[in-house]
Amino acid sequence: MQRWNRKKTHFPALASLFVVLLVCSILYIERSIQQIDEDPDHHHHHSHQHNQEVPSVTYVKPNRDRSANRDPEVLDRYSRCNSTRKYSGRKIRWVDPKVESSQRRQSLESCDVFSGKWVFDNVSYPLYQESSCPYMSDQLACHKHGRSNLGYQYWRWQPHNCNLKRWNVTEMWEKLRGKRLMFVGDSLNRGQWISMVCMLQSVIPADKRSMTPNAHLTIFSAEEYNATVEFLWAPLLVESNSDDPVNHRLDERIIRPDSVLKHSSKWGHADILVFNTYLWWRQGPVKLSWSDEEHGICEELDGLGAMELAMGAWADWVASEADHHKKQVFFITMSPTHLWSREWQPGSEGNCYNEKAPIEDAGYWGSGSDIPTMQMVERVLSTVSSKVSVLNITHLSDYRRDGHPSIYRKFWETLSPEQLANPSSYSDCIHWCLPGVPDVWNELLFHFL
């Protein structure tokens, strides 16, 4: 050190400055690399982050008590982001539930009822007639809207090594006696709710049943059983600007990623909960409006990353508030789409239009069943596995290219002559005809209740 100090006195001033800058640069680079290596989430950032600057990860507890926080402005379809900045890296840290033994949930996989094949059965199916259900949706009533081939109604799901419990409407009502069954989610979950109502309503006298008008929460009531079957519109699970059940077609999706308060204040009172979310996260980037942000400042994140944040806030509610001795919670995995016929018929350029039978290839897996999303959902659900039963409807539904409304439904927008000349261009290959595939989802629910 002394020798270096002696030599330093003979350096020109410019050389001395160069050495100092070089040393500082090396130290800065080493420190940056060390910070990246120590970041446990560095390898889990989503593909939307291509800049060189890695946001520092901070963990945010979901906002479950507004009395303890600044009351944020409620999001609705008129909400806007005054400014948008890049995603800061904040993540939801949800409560880690205690590992509790649950014979009911452990026994769910004694036979894998989600692995099997579709069997044509025009004796036992359909479980109800489309025209006999007064609560049928025009979005799902395919026969009413011109579909003449009714083969989609006659397929039964047959697990490989066991049988599904046979549907019994009276037994189901006894399971629901004195209880509230609530479906929470998007239009696909609403379809499953309508399916359940149609499967149940026939044994209830007309003067002993009622349906509230379509709203954020819609309720079918059966007086004799003191029971309700309800649907709560919450397509993104967390609070969002898309929470109006009718007017939710917006150019910009804004969510409150750390708050389920708006919806949980309603779903928290149900005895049996059936959740879903998926489709709306595939429609491009999502704006994040955190509960503690003011002045309309938003962050932007890709759909998968935003969905993971929302699932985290939901999981926090489940872990903290859902006593599995009093409440049964189910999560429905993603409902697949059939938008590209080339996936099951190489060389074709259509979609689900004019498909009349299920896919027979047992190993088929379409792009409508997004594997990264499935993996993320599985990771989140594993943290609340003692409190949530998973109904994995994805693969079994993936075979059912024939089960969608296609062109046989009511379309609220006017179709152009060009569309009408090309049916594939406006076919609905997302939702499901009723009676049909969602009835099987409800048979699975009945099997596990």
Side-chain angles (χ1 to χ4, degrees):
M1 181 64 73
Q2 290 177 349
R3 183 177 301 172
W4 187 86
N5 283 338
R6 283 198 299 268
K7 288 186 178 181
K8 180 182 176 185
T9 59
H10 299 290
F11 281 171
L14 185 61
S16 299
L17 179 61
F18 174 78
V19 171
V20 171
L21 290 174
L22 180 62
V23 171
C24 291
S25 298
I26 293 172
L27 290 175
Y28 176 80
I29 293 170
E30 288 180 345
R31 183 175 179 180
S32 299
I33 293 172
Q34 183 181 20
Q35 286 177 338
I36 292 174
D37 290 340
E38 290 174 352
D39 179 3
D41 292 289
H42 173 63
H43 299 291
H44 301 291
H45 290 313
H46 299 290
S47 59
H48 74 287
Q49 295 171 341
H50 297 296
N51 53 52
Q52 294 180 351
E53 181 182 352
V54 179
S56 59
V57 176
T58 58
Y59 289 93
V60 180
K61 285 300 297 174
N63 179 14
R64 287 187 282 115
D65 181 10
R66 277 198 176 131
S67 63
N69 299 276
R70 180 186 64 81
D71 191 9
E73 179 184 353
V74 174
L75 293 179
D76 59 28
R77 63 194 180 100
Y78 301 107
S79 298
R80 296 292 183 272
C81 294
N82 293 330
S83 63
T84 302
R85 62 192 181 197
K86 64 182 180 181
Y87 174 51
S88 63
R90 280 197 274 186
K91 294 184 179 294
I92 303 293
R93 185 187 297 282
W94 57 89
V95 172
D96 293 327
K98 296 178 181 178
V99 179
E100 303 174 27
S101 62
S102 172
Q103 293 301 320
R104 180 174 60 83
R105 286 168 177 77
Q106 289 175 352
S107 65
L108 291 189
E109 297 304 322
S110 57
C111 169
D112 185 3
V113 296
F114 308 116
S115 177
K117 62 181 181 180
W118 290 94
V119 177
F120 190 80
D121 181 353
N122 60 358
V123 176
S124 304
Y125 291 81
L127 298 175
Y128 56 90
Q129 295 297 321
E130 176 189 299
S131 59
S132 67
C133 181
Y135 310 106
M136 180 60 65
S137 166
D138 274 336
Q139 188 180 39
L140 312 174
C142 301
H143 182 41
K144 175 182 176 180
H145 289 89
R147 184 165 181 173
S148 58
N149 182 298
L150 302 183
Y152 65 91
Q153 298 184 2
Y154 301 120
W155 293 93
R156 170 172 55 83
W157 178 248
Q158 177 60 55
H160 285 311
N161 300 311
C162 57
N163 294 311
L164 267 182
K165 187 175 182 178
R166 187 172 181 81
W167 171 256
N168 184 302
V169 63
T170 304
E171 183 180 348
M172 183 61 175
W173 273 121
E174 289 299 334
K175 291 177 183 291
L176 297 180
R177 184 180 289 277
K179 294 181 178 179
R180 295 177 64 180
L181 165 61
M182 186 183 294
F183 294 81
V184 181
D186 58 22
S187 59
L188 290 160
N189 219 20
R190 180 167 55 198
Q192 186 178 355
W193 166 70
I194 293 171
S195 162
M196 179 62 82
V197 171
C198 290
M199 291 167 72
L200 287 171
Q201 60 85 31
S202 62
V203 298
I204 308 297
D207 62 341
K208 300 292 184 182
R209 67 188 189 219
S210 63
M211 179 76 82
T212 65
N214 181 35
H216 184 210
L217 178 64
T218 310
I219 304 172
F220 174 80
S221 301
E223 181 181 324
E224 179 182 352
Y225 291 92
N226 186 31
T228 59
V229 183
E230 311 176 23
F231 173 69
L232 179 67
W233 175 259
L236 301 167
L237 294 183
V238 293
E239 182 180 343
S240 79
N241 68 339
S242 305
D243 291 336
D244 187 305
V246 178
N247 299 308
H248 47 249
R249 294 192 175 187
L250 304 170
D251 294 331
E252 181 179 74
R253 302 290 182 201
I254 307 173
I255 67 169
R256 191 86 68 200
D258 55 341
S259 180
V260 297
L261 281 168
K262 178 179 178 181
H263 304 310
S264 64
S265 64
K266 294 180 172 62
W267 80 47
H269 301 291
D271 302 285
I272 304 167
L273 284 160
V274 183
F275 292 94
N276 93 315
T277 188
Y278 166 54
L279 190 65
W280 284 38
W281 302 106
R282 293 173 65 87
Q283 299 178 3
V286 178
K287 300 293 179 67
L288 314 178
S289 176
W290 297 90
S291 296
D292 60 358
E293 285 289 1
E294 298 183 20
H295 311 302
I297 299 174
C298 297
E299 297 176 355
E300 187 172 272
L301 186 57
D302 62 78
L304 178 58
M307 180 179 175
E308 185 170 9
L309 291 175
M311 288 288 295
W314 171 83
D316 174 77
W317 181 88
V318 171
S320 307
E321 307 293 336
D323 182 349
H324 76 259
H325 296 294
K326 299 178 181 178
K327 199 181 297 289
Q328 288 180 271
V329 180
F330 294 87
F331 190 89
I332 308 291
T333 61
M334 68 179 69
S335 172
T337 59
H338 292 89
L339 302 176
W340 314 105
S341 62
R342 60 177 176 266
E343 293 182 346
W344 61 84
Q345 186 180 347
S348 63
E349 290 300 325
N351 50 28
C352 71
Y353 173 67
N354 211 29
E355 294 290 352
K356 297 181 175 64
I359 295 168
E360 295 183 358
D361 177 8
Y364 175 78
W365 191 272
S367 62
S369 303
D370 183 59
I371 291 178
T373 301
M374 290 285 283
Q375 292 172 334
M376 179 276 290
V377 169
E378 183 178 9
R379 186 168 64 251
V380 174
L381 290 175
S382 68
T383 68
V384 287
S385 58
S386 66
K387 296 190 174 187
V388 179
S389 299
V390 180
L391 296 186
N392 189 352
I393 58 92
T394 305
H395 200 195
L396 65 90
S397 304
D398 214 0
Y399 299 123
R400 294 302 307 275
R401 62 187 173 189
D402 61 312
H404 299 286
S406 180
I407 65 172
Y408 304 109
R409 51 159 286 190
K410 179 178 180 179
F411 291 92
W412 285 271
E413 66 278 6
T414 302
L415 297 171
S416 68
E418 291 77 16
Q419 287 177 307
L420 292 172
N422 180 15
S424 293
S425 67
Y426 67 97
S427 288
D428 180 349
C429 299
I430 295 173
H431 300 93
W432 302 94
C433 295
L434 291 181
V437 174
D439 303 334
V440 173
W441 304 349
N442 283 323
E443 286 185 281
L444 289 163
L445 180 61
F446 173 67
H447 183 86
F448 290 135
L449 276 174

